Amino acid sequence: MAGTKRKLSSKGAQGAKNENVKKPKTKGTLHAKVELPAPQAPEDSDESGDESGFDSDDPWEGLVGSETPRSATDSLDVSDTVQKNGVMNGKTTKAANETKKKAAPPTQPPSKPKQSAKSDAEDEPVVTAGTSSREIHAKQKVLRQERKAAKPNSSGVERSKKLWERLRRKSHVPADERKQLVKELFEIITGHVKSFVFKHDAVRVVQTAIKYSNQEQRKAIARELQGSYLSLATGRYAKFLIGKLLVHGDREIRDMIIPEFYAHVRNLMRHPEAAWLLDDVYRGVANSKQKSRLLREWYGGEFAALGGVDSDDQTSKLSEILELSPEKRLPIMRSLHETINRMVQKKTTAFTMLHDAMFEYFSNIKRGSDELTEFIELLKSDEDGDLLKNLAFTKSGSKVVRRALALGTAKDRKAIMRAYKDIIQLLAYDINGHTVLLTIFEVVDDTVLVGKVVIAGLIGNDPESQEDRVLKAATNRIARVALLYLPAGRVKPLLLPGDAPLLEEMDEARTETSRKEPKTRREELLKTFSPSLLKAVEEHADILCQTSFGSRYIAYVLLGCTGDKARALETVADQAQGDPSDEGHVSSNPDAARMLKTLVQEGQFNAETGKIETLDPPLGFHHLLYQRIKPHIMGWATSLGSFVVVALLEAPGFTKRKEVVQSLKKHRKRLEKAANNGGVAAKTAKAKENGDHTEGPRASKGKNENAGNRGAQILLEKLI
């Protein structure tokens, strides 16, 4: 208190007079500076209210009360504030101390000054004191509705949205009701489609109408939008409308849309929205003639100007164009390189059209030229490797990567391989990507790096997960090619259609860049690959024998891999134990029986030479197998596995041949029965009696049911 008294005493008599006055709590800088108007003139003064600065309409009038007496208990007057601050507008104002004014209540801020006629009062509600947020939002909603109502065709848009809310629910709308809703919706949008498609919310209505309409209704919409497709393609939401028309429309609708993109391809490919639409059109909708026209525009302005010319001889093959006009090579190659480089630098490298253009450019580069070096450097310039990754998954892009691997230097190959380090498995399961892995196996001389990057990426480094990865890839139609290419080689049953010609091209291209012999390269890679492949056979031979791909996997691995195969051979031979007449026995599986026959023969049959290519050193599998099937040799000879017994008699180095022949002679009648009309034919007849009208295992239409067991017939011939 002593400190408080000293503080008050320093203010003088006027400050001490109001020491017990309670001051209102305020925020901000209400007491920083207060500008007070001059005192009003007496009633008999000639000065008007306007001249004194106040009139009856002034919003500050309630704050001034010079003619009203004030008691000591009233609120803090302005003079106290002036004394506390000490300065008003830079000067001490004595008249302000004599004039008493009531302070404005802290909850009543001064109202806004009047706005001009050109203000935004029509767009935003005026907020006054005491207005709740709910009232403000209600006023804003009214204003929004008024603005929407002022737009053209507003009533039709609102009605169509309500119909769309019902139509978009797939499983909750009966078919009859949906037809009626579509009919009503077309009555609204017909003739006004353009007023719908450029609005982000209304364009969805038209998309739904296209989805549930018939072809005639879709053609009507397509005709109404003719001339606007270029603008629609660049719209963030309108581009999806073009997609709906292309997907649900017929060839006539597509022919209305695609020609409007002619002469604008390069501009559209630079647009963030239109580029994806145009690439989808090029990849999945356009016919060969339309694709040629679109791709030709990448070759320069001359081809873009002629893009819409109706001509059947417009080819997109750059080699044919340069053959007809060799003088155009320099401008065409420059235009292609500039466009490709621009898109690579912008990291827009996932477009199929770009990959086709890159392939045309790369195919017409001369070997050993600066253009080749510069282009390969462009492929490696993407630090994230996105360009090379995207290229590998398209047909033309994979050709670019394969050609770069074949023609590049050892340093280039290493850089390209490292870009795929994290996606080796994805490449193996892709129809185009697996050819990149085959090319790496054929052209890269650094087999240690291939083992660390490709083989480890394909089967993994973790022993626990390796078996699962190998089993999954072994039974996949595409992945099995990369998995078994090294042990099996270029055998026709393994490769996919089109793989062999591509590999032959790589053979020609690598002659100048690869130094290591193909046989040496393959042997070095097999040393790394073989242990994991053999282990899968050792642990899961029973699972692999149940499928066609699994049985072939066992044959390819045991015939082609290097290293210790003893345990794997024992495991496979164990699968033949038991009575062949038992259900689910391996002899009843034609694929497994064929695999056992191949292993007994010690090699694959070569259709070109007509001979069996035997292994050196031999496997010796025939002895392992005979030990297990000896008690049931006649069951094998009269079943679907009869050719396994035939292979035993023909196998080189099989020392038990006489013993097998004696066993067959003892049961000659049983063998003759199977050869004439037993075995498979008997099982087929029994199946038909039980209601199964198939012709039996591995039987095809047109086969003679009375043909008998062909393997048993061959065995009878060998007994003579």
Side-chain angles (χ1 to χ4, degrees):
M1 292 299 295
T4 305
K5 289 181 179 180
R6 284 195 297 271
K7 184 177 181 181
L8 290 173
S9 63
S10 64
K11 292 184 178 180
Q14 184 66 27
K17 180 178 178 181
N18 297 318
E19 69 177 297
N20 295 325
V21 177
K22 188 175 181 181
K23 300 180 181 180
K25 296 180 180 179
T26 57
K27 295 181 180 180
T29 57
L30 289 176
H31 294 285
K33 285 186 180 182
V34 180
E35 298 182 4
L36 292 177
Q40 286 186 347
E43 293 182 359
D44 56 352
S45 173
D46 294 334
E47 297 180 4
S48 63
D50 293 338
E51 293 175 351
S52 62
F54 296 92
D55 55 24
S56 59
D57 295 332
D58 193 273
W60 291 85
E61 181 179 358
L63 298 180
V64 180
S66 58
E67 297 180 0
T68 305
R70 183 178 67 86
S71 63
T73 59
D74 287 341
S75 300
L76 179 66
D77 57 0
V78 181
S79 61
D80 290 338
T81 305
V82 174
Q83 280 191 342
K84 183 177 179 180
N85 295 325
V87 179
M88 180 182 294
N89 294 331
K91 298 179 181 179
T92 303
T93 309
K94 186 176 181 180
N97 294 333
E98 298 175 356
T99 307
K100 308 300 181 182
K101 305 173 182 64
K102 291 183 179 180
T107 58
Q108 297 286 343
S111 60
K112 294 182 179 179
K114 295 181 180 180
Q115 297 180 349
S116 63
K118 296 182 180 181
S119 65
D120 297 333
E122 295 181 359
D123 295 334
E124 297 295 336
V126 178
V127 181
T128 59
T131 305
S132 64
S133 61
R134 180 177 296 179
E135 294 174 347
I136 294 173
H137 292 160
K139 292 180 180 179
Q140 291 174 345
K141 183 177 180 180
V142 172
L143 288 174
R144 284 196 301 269
Q145 292 175 350
E146 291 176 354
R147 286 195 295 268
K148 288 182 179 180
K151 294 180 180 180
N153 199 23
S154 60
S155 60
V157 173
E158 290 302 318
R159 175 57 183 161
S160 64
K161 288 181 182 179
K162 293 179 180 179
L163 295 174
W164 174 75
E165 285 292 339
R166 182 64 177 162
L167 271 173
R168 69 188 184 93
R169 303 179 67 185
K170 296 181 180 179
S171 59
H172 296 76
V173 182
D176 295 338
E177 182 182 355
R178 189 182 298 280
K179 290 181 181 179
Q180 184 62 31
L181 291 172
V182 171
K183 181 180 178 181
E184 184 177 354
L185 183 59
F186 267 90
E187 291 176 355
I188 296 173
I189 67 175
T190 301
H192 306 282
V193 175
K194 291 185 179 180
S195 64
F196 283 80
V197 295
F198 290 102
K199 299 176 181 178
H200 72 92
D201 53 350
V203 70
R204 299 179 183 179
V205 177
V206 184
Q207 292 180 40
T208 304
I210 293 171
K211 180 178 180 180
Y212 294 111
S213 60
N214 54 44
Q215 287 298 335
E216 291 301 324
Q217 291 172 324
R218 291 167 187 158
K219 290 177 182 178
I221 293 177
R223 294 189 191 98
E224 192 170 342
L225 290 175
Q226 274 188 308
S228 304
Y229 291 114
L230 192 63
S231 300
L232 291 173
T234 58
R236 184 177 181 183
Y237 300 99
K239 65 179 181 181
F240 297 110
L241 174 65
I242 298 180
K244 283 286 185 182
L245 283 172
L246 293 172
V247 170
H248 295 283
D250 56 8
R251 189 75 255 170
E252 182 180 349
I253 293 177
R254 295 172 183 176
D255 291 340
M256 293 181 196
I257 298 173
I258 296 175
E260 294 198 16
F261 299 145
Y262 295 160
H264 303 283
V265 171
R266 292 190 295 177
N267 290 334
L268 291 175
M269 291 302 295
R270 289 195 292 266
H271 195 278
E273 303 294 342
W276 293 103
L277 174 66
L278 183 60
D279 193 66
D280 289 340
V281 170
Y282 177 83
R283 183 179 67 251
V285 178
N287 55 36
S288 58
K289 180 180 177 181
Q290 292 168 339
K291 290 177 68 174
S292 296
R293 290 189 178 185
L294 294 173
L295 186 59
R296 281 169 61 92
E297 295 191 26
W298 288 66
Y299 300 158
E302 175 187 352
F303 296 91
L306 300 175
V309 177
D310 189 9
S311 176
D312 294 333
D313 59 352
Q314 289 188 346
T315 178
S316 60
K317 294 290 184 182
L318 185 56
S319 58
E320 297 179 8
I321 295 175
L322 296 180
E323 185 178 355
L324 294 174
S325 304
E327 71 280 359
K328 295 182 180 180
R329 185 182 187 280
L330 184 60
I332 290 176
M333 297 294 281
R334 183 188 298 116
S335 176
L336 260 177
H337 187 273
E338 290 176 355
T339 307
I340 292 170
N341 183 56
R342 186 188 306 113
M343 298 189 71
V344 171
Q345 299 305 322
K346 290 184 177 181
K347 296 186 179 298
T348 53
T349 58
F351 299 116
T352 304
M353 194 184 300
L354 170 65
H355 300 173
D356 287 354
M358 293 179 73
F359 174 69
E360 292 295 333
Y361 179 84
F362 202 5
S363 300
N364 290 274
I365 291 179
K366 298 178 181 179
R367 295 186 183 183
S369 63
D370 293 337
E371 289 179 337
L372 175 63
T373 304
E374 186 178 356
F375 187 77
I376 294 179
E377 289 298 324
L378 177 64
L379 295 178
K380 300 188 301 181
S381 64
D382 190 351
E383 297 178 357
D384 299 330
D386 291 340
L387 173 59
L388 288 169
K389 292 175 182 177
N390 289 327
L391 285 170
F393 293 99
T394 62
K395 185 176 180 180
S396 296
S398 61
K399 291 180 182 178
V400 172
V401 178
R402 291 197 303 270
R403 190 175 179 85
L405 285 168
L407 300 180
T409 62
K411 187 177 179 180
D412 296 334
R413 293 167 179 167
K414 291 179 182 179
I416 294 172
M417 269 199 303
R418 289 194 178 98
Y420 298 119
K421 185 176 182 179
D422 299 329
I423 61 167
I424 295 297
Q425 272 200 310
L426 294 177
L427 291 175
Y429 284 86
D430 186 75
I431 188 67
N432 298 306
H434 82 280
T435 60
V436 175
L437 299 182
L438 301 186
T439 305
I440 291 175
F441 291 148
E442 288 290 351
V443 303
V444 178
D445 293 337
D446 191 348
T447 55
V448 176
L449 182 62
V450 174
K452 292 180 179 179
V453 175
V454 180
I455 297 178
L458 183 60
I459 62 177
N461 293 318
D462 185 10
E464 296 181 359
S465 62
Q466 275 185 357
E467 296 178 12
D468 294 336
R469 286 191 176 190
V470 171
L471 286 177
K472 182 180 178 182
T475 55
N476 184 274
R477 173 177 169 269
I478 299 174
R480 63 191 288 265
V481 179
L483 183 72
L484 298 173
Y485 180 73
L486 289 174
R490 301 181 185 182
V491 293
K492 187 176 180 181
L494 175 65
L495 297 179
L496 299 178
D499 285 353
L502 297 177
L503 292 171
E504 291 174 0
E505 292 178 7
M506 295 304 102
D507 291 342
E508 181 183 356
R510 72 181 178 185
T511 54
E512 300 176 3
T513 56
S514 296
R515 300 179 180 179
K516 190 172 291 187
E517 289 294 328
K519 184 178 179 180
T520 305
R521 184 188 300 107
R522 178 174 177 268
E523 291 176 352
E524 292 177 356
L525 290 173
L526 277 174
K527 289 180 181 179
T528 306
F529 214 1
S530 294
S532 300
L533 300 181
L534 289 171
K535 187 176 180 180
V537 177
E538 297 170 5
E539 301 294 335
H540 304 285
D542 55 338
I543 298 176
L544 292 170
C545 285
Q546 297 174 6
T547 61
S548 173
F549 286 163
S551 299
R552 290 180 181 272
Y553 172 86
I554 293 175
Y556 292 146
V557 168
L558 291 178
L559 293 175
C561 286
T562 59
D564 186 9
K565 307 176 186 177
R567 186 183 172 188
L569 291 171
E570 292 279 354
T571 305
V572 175
D574 290 340
Q575 307 305 313
Q577 290 180 341
D579 190 351
S581 61
D582 293 341
E583 184 178 358
H585 192 266
V586 68
S587 62
S588 62
N589 186 341
D591 298 307
R594 188 179 295 107
M595 175 265 297
L596 294 174
K597 173 192 170 185
T598 302
L599 294 178
V600 169
Q601 291 173 340
E602 302 282 350
Q604 296 275 3
F605 177 78
N606 191 331
E608 296 180 359
T609 60
K611 297 180 180 180
I612 297 174
E613 299 177 352
T614 58
L615 295 179
D616 186 22
L619 291 176
F621 181 74
H622 37 62
H623 290 102
L624 297 174
L625 181 63
Y626 181 66
Q627 293 174 6
R628 289 159 177 81
I629 69 172
K630 181 179 179 180
H632 305 282
I633 190 67
M634 289 307 301
W636 279 87
T638 56
S639 67
L640 292 173
S642 58
F643 278 96
V644 175
V645 182
V646 175
L648 284 173
L649 297 179
E650 297 176 350
F654 181 58
T655 60
K656 302 291 184 178
R657 185 178 185 278
K658 292 183 178 180
E659 185 177 333
V660 174
V661 172
Q662 290 176 358
S663 299
L664 296 176
K665 286 182 177 180
K666 289 181 182 180
H667 303 85
R668 188 182 185 94
K669 292 183 178 181
R670 183 178 174 185
L671 194 62
E672 290 175 350
K673 182 179 179 181
N676 295 329
N677 194 15
V680 176
K683 291 183 179 180
T684 303
K686 185 176 180 181
K688 288 190 174 183
E689 291 177 2
N690 296 331
D692 185 2
H693 297 283
T694 58
E695 297 183 4
R698 301 292 291 181
S700 60
K701 292 183 179 180
K703 273 194 174 182
N704 185 6
E705 295 182 4
N706 299 321
N709 190 323
R710 180 57 183 162
Q713 294 172 3
I714 297 175
L715 289 174
L716 286 174
E717 294 174 0
K718 292 184 177 295
L719 295 180
I720 299 174

